[in-house]
Each structure stands twice: as structure tokens, then as C-alpha cells.
Amino acid sequence: MSTTVWSSYVVPVGVATGVGAGFLLGLVSAQWLWDWRQRRRLARAVAELREEIALLRQTLSEVAAAERARSGAAASRDSGRKASSADRGGGQDVAAARRPLSRPESSTEFLSAQEDESEEESEFYELSTPEEEEGSISAATARERRLQEYDELGKATLESVEACSTLLEKLKAGLEKDTGDVEVLWRLSRCLVQLSTHHKSDEEMEKQYLEQAANYAQEAIAVNDNSWKAHEWYAMAIGSQSKFLGTQDKIKSGFLYKEHIDKAVTLNPEYSWLYYLRGRWCFEVAGLSWMEKKAAAMLYASPPESSIEEALQNFLKADELSTEENKSTQLYTAKVVQLCIRNSLLSPYPSCTYVPCPSACVCVC
């Protein structure tokens, strides 16, 4: 009895399994057939598209050939008419009357026929390429891209002498393309000033770079006297050269430095670094020794004058305009405040108490 019962269950289960497998196989086959048909349709569409493109290219070539042939025939007829007119003299009116009427060619059509023979017209029929589109970039756009490349390379020049050297080569090559461009000239000056900071151990090389920087900046000012960057980097170049100069030349360069920093501030009064540079000049002039002041008085009717208070005003202005902390500004502000407190010169700021610290000063109002 147990065997019979077991057999009665086995048969239905086997039948169900067979039916399920057949159904699944049918689904898979149907899906494969649908995919195959879709691939066939896609392949057929691509083949038709290729045939249409080939036909289009052939048609364009035939049109170009026909146009060139028509232009050549028109030019030949024109030359023949001129020769015939020269031979027959006054008989050209009679010949013209006997010729069958035809559509006259305008001057515009004749010029177009001549232009058809040029390579540019032939290339039109062959369709433009991406290289041709890239070559059509305007000179102004190409110049802007070069300037952006210079500025991108310039971000690493303070840390890397290799970056400085690479940028210098690119700027000199760019100056050949953009001769007399003030934007390239002042960037050359800046690069050379930065390059000089990497050669502090070699005074001759440092001095040479600074002289070149001053020359490029001076050339930029000659091109455009309203370029505040040109004035800034000319001042930076001659200011950095002062350590190689004697007392008299140092005083002369000091006047020149102040003149160009003032001009740069006038042209761009919102640039914080210019106030820091002017504050440094005021700080140095205020700290001149008695002998240096006497030497300046002998050279100039009015020697350079400044004060610690004026230096402080410039440093505070630089800090006010700066969008981020500047350690150099903070350091010199602290130095000036220490001198002011030591000499009781803080009277212009009665509402504030300045507390100096090693790297900055804190204003407690």
C-alpha cells in the first residue's frame, strides 16, 4: 500500500516539473528571438544610414565638379568674347545681336566662380573638420587662454623654482606672440621677482633677475601707464634691489618706490597688499638713522618723510581690506604698535588699547 501511494505522488510532480521547464525554455527562446530581431533592425538602419552618407558625399563632389566646370566654361567664354572683340573692332555689336539671348552673369557671380577654384571653396564641399573649428578661435580668446594658463602656473612659483623657470619660458614665448602686451610684461616682472627669491644664496643671479624684472615692468608702464599691476611690480623690483645699493642710490630708489606704490593705490584702492607695501615704506623711512636723513637732505630739497603713525594706518587698512589673514601684515602691525606704545604715540587712537603679542596685535575697544 505504501509503494502505491508514493507512486501516485511521483507522477504528478514529474509532470509539473516538465511543464514548468518547457514554459521557462519557451520564454527564454522568445526573448532571444526578440533581441535578435532588434539587432537585425538596428544593423539594417545603420547600413542604410551609411549608404545615405556615402550618397550625400558623392552628390556634393559632383556638385563641386559641376560648379568648377561651369566656372571654367564661363571664364573661357568671357576670354573668347574679349579676343573676338579685339579682332573685329566695331563689329562686336553685330555679333552680339546674332548671339542667342542668355542669362547675363553678374559681377558677383563671376567673383564667386573665381573663388570656387580656391582650396577654401573645395574644402567647403568636403565638410569642415573639428581641427578647422578649433583653428577659427579668435585672437582675443586665444590670448585670454594664455593668460589663464600663466596665472595657473603662477600659483606654484613661490614654492617651486622649477615652476618659476617653466612659467618664465612660457611668458617669454608668449611675448613673441603678443608683442608689447602689458599683461604679459607685468607677469614677466612678477615671475622674475619671485625667481630672485629662490636665489638668495647667489647675489649676482638674484641681482640680475631683479634688474630684468624692473626693465619688464618699466616697459609695461610705458605701454599702459594705467596698469596698477605694472606699477606694483616695478615698485617691488626696485624695492628688492635696494639692499644692493649705497645710501644715496637707496634714497633715490625709495622715492621711486613710493611714487609707483601711490600710483598703484590710486588706480586700485581696494587691493590690500598695496597698503601693506606702502606701510613698509613708511616704517623704513620712519626708522632712518640721523646720518641717512642728513644724506637725503643733501640730495633732495625735501627728503622722504613719514611716521610710525602713518605706517600703522596703512597696515590697519591692509588688514581691513584683506579677505584672509596675512602674517606679514600682522607682524609689522605688531612691531608698529610696540613702538607706538613705547613712545606714547597712540594718541590718534584714544578709544582703543593695543596689546602686542609675538605675531599680531589685538584691538580691545
Side-chain angles (χ1 to χ4, degrees):
M1 176 64 69
S2 58
T3 302
T4 305
V5 174
W6 175 251
S7 299
S8 64
Y9 283 98
V10 169
V11 173
V13 170
V15 171
T17 303
V19 171
F23 181 73
L24 181 60
L25 182 60
L27 284 178
V28 171
S29 300
Q31 180 66 34
W32 179 87
L33 181 60
W34 187 85
D35 290 341
W36 179 79
R37 288 176 177 174
Q38 288 295 105
R39 287 195 297 271
R40 286 289 302 275
R41 291 194 187 99
L42 181 60
R44 193 180 302 113
V46 171
E48 291 175 355
L49 181 60
R50 287 177 177 172
E51 290 177 0
E52 290 179 1
I53 292 174
L55 181 60
L56 179 60
R57 289 184 179 275
Q58 181 181 355
T59 304
L60 289 175
S61 299
E62 292 174 357
V63 170
E67 188 68 19
R68 284 193 292 269
R70 188 189 67 81
S71 301
S76 299
R77 286 197 304 271
D78 187 71
S79 299
R81 284 197 297 269
K82 289 181 180 179
S84 178
S85 298
D87 292 338
R88 289 195 299 268
Q92 60 182 6
D93 295 335
V94 176
R98 292 179 178 176
R99 281 198 303 270
L101 293 177
S102 61
R103 182 175 61 85
E105 292 183 353
S106 65
S107 59
T108 304
E109 290 175 334
F110 179 74
L111 290 175
S112 299
Q114 295 298 318
E115 291 174 355
D116 287 342
E117 298 178 0
S118 65
E119 292 181 358
E120 290 78 10
E121 192 68 11
S122 299
E123 289 175 356
F124 169 78
Y125 291 103
E126 295 174 1
L127 304 178
S128 59
T129 62
E131 290 76 9
E132 291 171 348
E133 293 177 359
E134 291 177 3
S136 65
I137 296 174
S138 66
T141 303
R143 173 180 173 273
E144 286 300 320
R145 289 184 179 180
R146 286 194 293 271
L147 293 179
Q148 290 175 6
E149 181 185 5
Y150 301 151
D151 292 339
E152 192 65 28
L153 287 172
K155 294 178 181 179
T157 51
L158 288 176
E159 292 77 19
S160 169
V161 64
E162 289 80 10
C164 257
S165 301
T166 301
L167 178 58
L168 183 61
E169 291 177 3
K170 286 187 174 291
L171 284 168
K172 287 183 176 180
L175 191 61
E176 295 179 0
K177 297 179 181 178
D178 306 307
T179 306
D181 191 328
V182 66
E183 295 296 322
V184 179
L185 288 168
W186 73 253
R187 283 175 170 83
L188 265 168
S189 178
R190 179 181 65 179
C191 181
L192 286 163
V193 170
Q194 293 173 345
L195 191 57
S196 71
T197 62
H198 294 290
H199 294 84
K200 294 290 186 181
S201 57
D202 189 340
E203 287 191 358
E204 277 302 316
M205 186 167 288
E206 181 185 4
K207 186 177 179 180
Q208 180 181 351
Y209 284 136
L210 291 173
E211 288 175 354
Q212 293 178 24
N215 291 337
Y216 280 121
Q218 198 169 19
E219 186 178 346
I221 293 171
V223 173
N224 182 7
D225 189 52
N226 291 324
S227 171
W228 66 272
K229 278 290 189 182
H231 288 283
E232 175 196 1
W233 287 102
Y234 183 59
M236 290 284 287
I238 60 177
S240 300
Q241 283 179 294
S242 62
K243 67 180 183 179
F244 302 113
L245 305 176
T247 302
Q248 293 185 356
D249 291 332
K250 187 179 293 185
I251 293 171
K252 289 180 181 178
S253 68
F255 272 105
L256 200 57
Y257 176 93
K258 179 66 160 49
E259 175 189 344
H260 287 278
I261 287 296
D262 285 345
K263 183 66 180 287
V265 170
T266 301
L267 293 170
N268 186 9
E270 300 300 318
Y271 189 55
S272 63
W273 185 249
L274 296 175
Y275 292 96
Y276 167 77
L277 295 176
R278 188 160 66 179
R280 285 288 304 271
W281 184 88
C282 296
F283 182 80
E284 297 296 333
V285 170
L288 286 176
S289 65
W290 178 86
M291 183 175 294
E292 288 173 328
K293 290 179 180 179
K294 286 296 181 182
M298 293 175 62
L299 291 172
Y300 298 95
S302 55
E305 294 181 359
S306 189
S307 63
I308 293 297
E309 295 97 319
E310 189 176 355
L312 180 59
Q313 289 173 1
N314 279 283
F315 288 137
L316 291 176
K317 184 67 175 178
D319 187 65
E320 174 190 339
L321 293 175
S322 181
T323 56
E324 56 187 19
E325 288 189 359
N326 188 304
K327 293 182 179 180
S328 299
T329 303
Q330 292 178 346
L331 175 61
Y332 275 89
T333 303
K335 289 182 178 181
V336 171
V337 167
Q338 285 178 334
L339 290 175
C340 288
I341 293 176
R342 186 182 307 162
N343 299 319
S344 302
L345 294 176
L346 278 174
S347 55
Y349 311 96
S351 62
C352 297
T353 302
Y354 289 89
V355 182
C357 65
S359 63
C361 66
V362 180
C363 176
V364 183
C365 298

